Protein backbone atom coordinates (compact mmCIF):
# COMPACT_ATOMS: atom_id res chain seq x y z
CA UNK A 1 0.00 0.00 0.00
CA UNK A 2 1.02 3.59 -0.43
CA UNK A 3 1.40 6.17 2.32
CA UNK A 4 -1.79 7.86 1.14
CA UNK A 5 -3.79 4.61 1.13
CA UNK A 6 -2.50 3.70 4.60
CA UNK A 7 -3.31 7.20 5.83
CA UNK A 8 -6.85 7.00 4.46
CA UNK A 9 -7.46 3.63 6.12
CA UNK A 10 -6.09 4.86 9.47
CA UNK A 11 -8.18 8.03 9.23
CA UNK A 12 -11.36 6.09 8.57
CA UNK A 13 -10.72 3.69 11.48
CA UNK A 14 -10.83 6.64 13.87
CA UNK A 15 -14.55 7.01 13.22
CA UNK A 16 -14.14 10.77 12.80
CA UNK A 17 -11.81 11.57 9.91
CA UNK A 18 -12.18 15.34 10.26
CA UNK A 19 -11.27 15.30 13.95
CA UNK A 20 -8.45 12.84 13.24
CA UNK A 21 -6.96 15.23 10.67
CA UNK A 22 -7.21 18.11 13.16
CA UNK A 23 -5.41 16.20 15.92
CA UNK A 24 -2.76 14.88 13.54
CA UNK A 25 -2.09 18.35 12.17
CA UNK A 26 -1.66 19.67 15.70
CA UNK A 27 0.61 16.75 16.61
CA UNK A 28 2.86 17.36 13.61
CA UNK A 29 2.98 21.13 14.23
CA UNK A 30 3.78 20.62 17.93
CA UNK A 31 6.41 17.98 17.14
CA UNK A 32 8.08 20.26 14.60
CA UNK A 33 8.01 23.12 17.12
CA UNK A 34 9.83 20.81 19.55
CA UNK A 35 12.46 19.99 16.91
CA UNK A 36 11.08 16.53 16.14
CA UNK A 37 11.06 15.31 12.55
CA UNK A 38 8.82 12.33 11.85
CA UNK A 39 9.84 9.94 9.09
CA UNK A 40 7.00 8.50 6.99
CA UNK A 41 6.81 5.24 8.96
CA UNK A 42 6.89 7.15 12.24
CA UNK A 43 4.13 9.45 11.03
CA UNK A 44 1.96 6.47 10.12
CA UNK A 45 2.65 4.88 13.53
CA UNK A 46 1.66 8.10 15.27
CA UNK A 47 -1.43 8.37 13.06
CA UNK A 48 -2.46 4.82 13.91
CA UNK A 49 -2.11 5.54 17.64
CA UNK A 50 -4.06 8.80 17.43
CA UNK A 51 -6.77 7.11 15.38
CA UNK A 52 -7.10 4.41 18.06
CA UNK A 53 -7.09 7.08 20.80
CA UNK A 54 -10.00 8.85 19.15
CA UNK A 55 -11.90 5.58 18.85
CA UNK A 56 -11.17 4.67 22.50
CA UNK A 57 -12.32 8.10 23.65
CA UNK A 58 -15.54 7.85 21.69
CA UNK A 59 -16.26 4.32 22.92
CA UNK A 60 -15.22 4.98 26.52
CA UNK A 61 -12.50 2.34 26.39
CA UNK A 62 -9.80 3.02 28.98
CA UNK A 63 -6.19 2.19 28.21
CA UNK A 64 -4.34 2.03 31.51
CA UNK A 65 -0.68 1.44 32.30
CA UNK A 66 0.06 -0.80 35.26
CA UNK A 67 3.78 0.00 35.53
CA UNK A 68 4.58 3.59 34.62
CA UNK A 69 8.23 2.94 35.52
CA UNK A 70 8.50 1.38 32.05
CA UNK A 71 8.44 4.94 30.71
CA UNK A 72 11.14 6.37 32.99
CA UNK A 73 13.53 6.80 30.07
CA UNK A 74 11.07 8.86 28.04
CA UNK A 75 12.07 12.51 28.21
CA UNK A 76 9.85 15.00 29.99
CA UNK A 77 9.68 16.94 26.69
CA UNK A 78 8.16 13.96 24.86
CA UNK A 79 5.80 13.27 27.75
CA UNK A 80 4.70 16.91 27.86
CA UNK A 81 4.13 16.93 24.09
CA UNK A 82 2.04 13.76 24.38
CA UNK A 83 0.07 15.30 27.25
CA UNK A 84 -0.80 18.31 25.08
CA UNK A 85 -1.98 16.11 22.22
CA UNK A 86 -3.95 13.82 24.52
CA UNK A 87 -5.67 16.90 25.92
CA UNK A 88 -7.30 17.40 22.53
CA UNK A 89 -9.09 14.04 22.62
CA UNK A 90 -12.07 13.84 24.97
CA UNK A 91 -12.81 10.70 26.94
CA UNK A 92 -9.38 9.08 26.97
CA UNK A 93 -7.63 7.85 30.09
CA UNK A 94 -4.75 9.94 31.43
CA UNK A 95 -2.34 7.02 30.96
CA UNK A 96 -2.67 7.29 27.18
CA UNK A 97 0.03 9.98 27.27
CA UNK A 98 2.67 7.43 28.24
CA UNK A 99 2.22 5.31 25.14
CA UNK A 100 1.83 8.33 22.90
CA UNK A 101 5.05 9.82 24.27
CA UNK A 102 7.06 6.88 22.91
CA UNK A 103 6.25 7.94 19.33
CA UNK A 104 7.76 11.36 19.96
CA UNK A 105 10.72 10.01 21.92
CA UNK A 106 11.71 7.56 19.19
CA UNK A 107 11.49 10.28 16.53
CA UNK A 108 13.47 12.63 18.79
CA UNK A 109 16.29 10.06 19.01
CA UNK A 110 16.67 9.80 15.23
Amino acid sequence: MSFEADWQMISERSGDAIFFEKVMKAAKVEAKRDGITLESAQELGLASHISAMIRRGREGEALTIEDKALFDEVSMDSLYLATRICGMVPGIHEDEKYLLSTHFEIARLN
Side-chain angles (χ1 to χ4, degrees), residues 8 16-18 22 26 29 32 34 36 40 44 60 64 68-69 72 75 85 88 91-95 106:
Q8 183 67 32
D16 187 343
I18 294 171
K22 177 182 174 184
V29 166
K32 187 174 182 178
D34 283 6
I36 298 171
S40 294
L44 284 175
T64 58
K68 293 177 184 68
D72 284 349
S75 69
I85 300 307
M88 296 180 67
I92 60 171
H93 192 277
E94 178 185 348
D95 286 358
I106 291 166

Side-chain angles (χ1 to χ4, degrees), residues 7 11 14 16-31 38 43 46-55 81-90 92 96 100 104:
W7 187 271
S11 174
S14 73
D16 187 343
I18 294 171
F19 184 58
F20 166 79
E21 292 291 340
K22 177 182 174 184
V23 175
M24 274 305 299
K25 181 178 180 181
K28 291 191 291 185
V29 166
E30 292 288 319
L38 297 164
E43 188 173 340
L46 177 64
S48 183
H49 188 124
I50 288 176
S51 175
M53 262 178 26
I54 291 169
R55 182 191 49 76
L81 174 54
T83 301
R84 294 191 318 260
I85 300 307
C86 285
M88 296 180 67
V89 182
I92 60 171
E96 190 84 47
L100 188 63
F104 298 119

